[in-house]
Amino acid sequence: MKKFLVVPLMLMMYTGYAQTTDAQLRKNREYTGAVAKQKQYHAIYQLDKNDPKVIQKAIRNINNALNDPRLKGKLQIELVAFSAGTDAYLKGSEYEEALKALVGRGVIVAQCQNTLEERKIPKEQLYDFIALVPSGNGELIIRQAEGWSVVKP
Amino acid sequence: MKKFLVVPLMLMMYTGYAQTTDAQLRKNREYTGAVAKQKQYHAIYQLDKNDPKVIQKAIRNINNALNDPRLKGKLQIELVAFSAGTDAYLKGSEYEEALKALVGRGVIVAQCQNTLEERKIPKEQLYDFIALVPSGNGELIIRQAEGWSVVKP
Amino acid sequence: MKKFLVVPLMLMMYTGYAQTTDAQLRKNREYTGAVAKQKQYHAIYQLDKNDPKVIQKAIRNINNALNDPRLKGKLQIELVAFSAGTDAYLKGSEYEEALKALVGRGVIVAQCQNTLEERKIPKEQLYDFIALVPSGNGELIIRQAEGWSVVKP
């Protein structure tokens, strides 16, 4: 091996970097997504912001996941709101119909009780159909321990 | 079945959407949270922002998870900071007491070494009690592979 | 036990808080990171913002994880973009070389097809080497169900 080849090769080995080949780029382009081999999937979505873009993204993301042809009919989702995310559930918010539609698609729509206490929000201010869980963080932790995937939009 | 019923029904079957029933809304409201059946739970919290609201939320979230009646006494948490999140650990920050209290509750409070190198921060600038891990991202990946839940406040 | 000791002790037992001891702080400082005992690790990275700081952080985070001495040579990563994160893949973005370098390191670099439809972006506007997956959210969910770790930079 010529000397002028050895130096860059050693450098690449040291840094872990290498020139990306056309074959690698082609192989990447040919990837079409993971294959859903399981009979059932579960995901918990975290909503802890009141930025309308984030709330809308959460709702859109959940619908996209439910519509993914790979997961159609075998995906159970839970949406848990805490911290500022609670605002999405307050009566008069613009998300009532979208949230009801999620329930209609089998999504559990739940609120952290801790947040209600910390922010002194009576539960009557939430839409009547919202579920209450002891803490949003506990819910995220228990669900993942059960094998659920987690998504933070 | 009347023709005027068939069309919307087929449409619903096609889109996957359906009218949400009162029974579905009632059932959602009756949900009270996942049940913690395991003897032990583990969670790693990611802190990669220096926004005081995010740092405070991370600390509050961890305490809420530890206080969740479902997880009381059986939850091990690690908090790993990297990128801008490192600022929370710098001597003189306003989080010293809250971080020490987390350690007192059994939380591992750790810092990414990569970030210190990238940002040229000598480790002496961090509170003396902070742990160092090779990389925050590696820590997130290894812990999840061990079955730990992940939370990004 | 003196009365003035009993009250704070009961209070601590009740709240779950306790004075952090020097031994606890010392033990925390001695932690050096989780140990990578598995032969292979997998992680999926979520990119759903077009904030240059977030895109750069995602790329930096992935490289840091691949460079972590604990994971060197046994970590497979996928980066999936959706929502505004798609902007990183548009021809003319400043990330072409960094993304190619990721492919060169074995990272799958993938884009959500749903987002292209919603935002009416023809796939020709993306770099030619980008992979397409049915939905970014479905990808996150399936990969985690396969045991992959998830990171949102």
Side-chain angles (χ1 to χ4, degrees):
Chain A
M1 199 181 281
K2 295 294 197 326
K3 217 174 190 176
F4 58 86
L5 270 175
V6 174
V7 173
L9 188 66
M10 284 180 63
L11 203 70
M12 288 183 330
M13 286 168 68
Y14 177 73
T15 59
Y17 289 98
Q19 179 80 26
T20 306
T21 65
D22 285 347
Q24 285 174 312
L25 295 173
R26 206 162 40 237
K27 187 183 160 209
N28 187 73
R29 190 178 50 218
E30 286 164 4
Y31 175 74
T32 57
V35 180
K37 294 175 185 166
Q38 299 183 18
K39 286 188 180 165
Q40 190 63 37
Y41 288 83
H42 300 88
I44 184 158
Y45 277 70
Q46 171 183 350
L47 178 59
D48 59 353
K49 291 187 176 174
N50 60 5
D51 177 348
K53 283 189 182 171
V54 174
I55 299 173
Q56 285 156 12
K57 184 158 69 169
I59 294 168
R60 201 169 60 237
N61 281 358
I62 291 173
N63 280 307
N64 280 344
L66 290 168
N67 290 339
D68 189 306
R70 299 173 292 178
L71 295 171
K72 202 111 187 184
K74 53 181 186 176
L75 175 58
Q76 162 76 62
I77 288 183
E78 175 173 344
L79 169 65
V80 66
F82 57 96
S83 195
T86 303
D87 291 2
Y89 294 170
L90 293 178
K91 282 174 184 165
S93 84
E94 54 186 305
Y95 310 105
E96 181 174 9
E97 290 315 312
L99 293 170
K100 279 184 177 172
L102 290 182
V103 173
R105 299 192 77 185
V107 177
I108 301 171
V109 178
Q111 164 63 31
C112 168
Q113 276 183 299
N114 249 328
T115 300
L116 298 187
E117 286 158 26
E118 284 170 359
R119 297 180 55 193
K120 302 194 199 317
I121 300 172
K123 67 176 181 179
E124 289 71 25
Q125 290 189 12
L126 303 183
Y127 292 121
D128 294 334
F129 61 89
I130 303 293
L132 295 181
V133 299
S135 84
N137 276 256
E139 198 72 8
L140 287 173
I141 291 166
I142 297 169
R143 284 309 197 190
Q144 288 182 73
E146 290 174 347
W148 289 44
S149 302
V150 64
V151 184
K152 179 181 162 83
Chain B
M1 199 181 281
K2 295 296 198 324
K3 217 175 192 172
F4 59 86
L5 271 176
V6 173
V7 174
L9 187 65
M10 285 179 64
L11 203 70
M12 289 184 331
M13 286 168 68
Y14 177 71
T15 58
Y17 290 97
Q19 178 80 29
T20 306
T21 65
D22 285 347
Q24 285 174 313
L25 295 172
R26 208 160 39 233
K27 187 183 160 209
N28 187 73
R29 190 179 50 215
E30 286 165 2
Y31 175 75
T32 55
V35 179
K37 294 175 186 164
Q38 299 182 17
K39 285 189 183 167
Q40 191 63 35
Y41 288 83
H42 300 87
I44 184 158
Y45 277 72
Q46 171 184 350
L47 178 57
D48 60 354
K49 292 186 177 174
N50 59 6
D51 178 347
K53 283 188 184 174
V54 174
I55 300 173
Q56 286 156 9
K57 184 157 70 170
I59 294 169
R60 202 170 58 236
N61 282 357
I62 291 173
N63 280 308
N64 280 344
L66 289 169
N67 290 339
D68 188 308
R70 298 172 293 179
L71 294 171
K72 202 109 188 183
K74 52 182 187 176
L75 174 58
Q76 163 76 62
I77 290 182
E78 176 173 343
L79 169 64
V80 67
F82 57 95
S83 195
T86 303
D87 290 3
Y89 295 170
L90 293 178
K91 282 173 185 165
S93 84
E94 55 186 302
Y95 309 106
E96 180 174 8
E97 290 314 311
L99 294 171
K100 279 185 177 171
L102 289 182
V103 173
R105 300 191 77 185
V107 177
I108 301 170
V109 177
Q111 165 63 32
C112 168
Q113 275 183 299
N114 250 328
T115 300
L116 298 187
E117 286 159 27
E118 285 170 0
R119 297 179 57 192
K120 302 195 199 315
I121 299 172
K123 68 177 181 177
E124 289 71 26
Q125 290 189 12
L126 303 183
Y127 293 122
D128 295 333
F129 61 87
I130 303 291
L132 295 182
V133 299
S135 83
N137 276 255
E139 197 72 9
L140 287 173
I141 292 167
I142 296 169
R143 285 309 197 186
Q144 287 182 72
E146 289 175 346
W148 290 44
S149 302
V150 64
V151 184
K152 179 180 160 83
Chain C
M1 200 180 281
K2 295 297 196 330
K3 217 175 192 174
F4 59 86
L5 271 175
V6 175
V7 174
L9 187 66
M10 285 180 65
L11 204 70
M12 289 184 328
M13 288 169 67
Y14 177 72
T15 59
Y17 290 96
Q19 179 79 28
T20 307
T21 65
D22 285 346
Q24 285 174 313
L25 295 172
R26 207 161 40 234
K27 187 182 160 209
N28 187 74
R29 189 179 51 216
E30 285 165 4
Y31 176 74
T32 56
V35 180
K37 294 176 185 165
Q38 299 182 17
K39 286 188 181 166
Q40 190 63 36
Y41 288 84
H42 300 87
I44 183 158
Y45 277 72
Q46 170 183 350
L47 179 58
D48 59 353
K49 292 187 176 174
N50 60 5
D51 177 347
K53 283 190 184 173
V54 174
I55 299 173
Q56 286 157 9
K57 184 158 68 170
I59 293 168
R60 201 171 58 236
N61 281 356
I62 291 172
N63 280 308
N64 279 343
L66 290 169
N67 289 340
D68 188 308
R70 298 172 293 178
L71 295 171
K72 203 111 188 182
K74 53 181 187 175
L75 175 59
Q76 162 76 63
I77 288 183
E78 176 174 344
L79 170 64
V80 66
F82 57 95
S83 195
T86 302
D87 290 3
Y89 294 170
L90 293 177
K91 281 174 186 164
S93 85
E94 55 186 307
Y95 310 105
E96 181 174 9
E97 290 315 311
L99 293 170
K100 279 184 176 170
L102 289 182
V103 172
R105 299 192 78 185
V107 177
I108 302 171
V109 178
Q111 164 63 31
C112 168
Q113 276 183 298
N114 248 328
T115 300
L116 297 186
E117 287 158 26
E118 284 169 359
R119 296 180 56 191
K120 300 194 200 317
I121 300 172
K123 67 175 180 179
E124 289 72 25
Q125 290 189 11
L126 303 184
Y127 293 121
D128 294 335
F129 61 88
I130 303 292
L132 296 181
V133 298
S135 82
N137 276 255
E139 197 72 8
L140 287 174
I141 292 166
I142 296 169
R143 284 309 196 186
Q144 288 183 71
E146 289 175 346
W148 290 42
S149 303
V150 63
V151 185
K152 178 181 162 82

